[in-house]
Amino acid sequence: MLKGKTALVTGSTSGIGLGIAKALAAQGANMVLNGFGDVDGPKAEVAALGVQVAYHGADMSKPDEIAAMMAYAAEQFGRVDILVNNAGIQHVARVENFPPERWDAIIAINLSSAFHATRLALPAMQAAGWGRIINVASVHGLVASAEKAAYVAAKHGVVGLTKVTALENATSGVTCNAICPGWVLTPLVQKQVDAKAVALGLSNDQAKKLLLGEKEPSLQFTTPEELGALAVFFCSPAGNNVRGVAWNMDGGWAAQ
């Protein structure tokens, strides 16, 4: 379905980003990966799906590096047809104890990077008459949790950016939508599970159940594969008039 298209997924060397990248590649999209840590493994996983794969290691907190990444993607493949803004970090603390530098980093990577990548991707999409911008927000873009001030603020901002981008392009072939996952067992969430297990003297499985039980009625993690399937839907003809939604895959979290 996406043969001949190019997708760029930020924060795609693991977790949700890699799951979405693989789902889009399975539909034939050439891929630009971005992120830290192991690069060769994720590149090989995506290339095994029969598409061309490139990588750019832009630090998503730095606008000039984001610009270099977008220019690199255009150089490699002509343009970015599908942009998935997924890069994110987390820090947990009460507002009065929240380190200002952590606030700045979370806003930069979780929110500002989506703005910078989007503004640079839009002109080519508009000229082509087709484009898909998918912002990975969070259920925390819809509701709040204590001790996550920066993350919740950033993800609410991502949902707002999604709506504005969708409205500004509403009569074009360019759509913008947000995915709002609940708990996904990414390395980021596994750290929270580990911390809970240590703090409360629980096994890892007990800590997972406790984490899910606090928020997610389904008592199951959403998977990167499920999120990837939703991204594919947004890129399909069925998604042509889906514009500006914040689609939660959260096991009933926001329904409470």
Side-chain angles (χ1 to χ4, degrees), residues 97-106:
N97 300 324
F98 214 98
E101 66 277 8
R102 297 306 296 157
W103 170 277
D104 290 344
I106 289 169

Side-chain angles (χ1 to χ4, degrees), residues 42 49 105 147 161 207 242 251:
L49 297 164
E147 301 192 353
L161 176 64
V242 180

Side-chain angles (χ1 to χ4, degrees), residues 182-207:
W183 290 124
V184 183
L185 200 56
T186 60
L188 201 68
V189 171
Q190 185 61 55
K191 280 184 189 172
Q192 293 181 56
V193 172
D194 294 343
K196 196 175 277 287
V198 170
L200 300 175
L202 302 173
S203 72
N204 221 263
D205 280 347
Q206 287 172 322

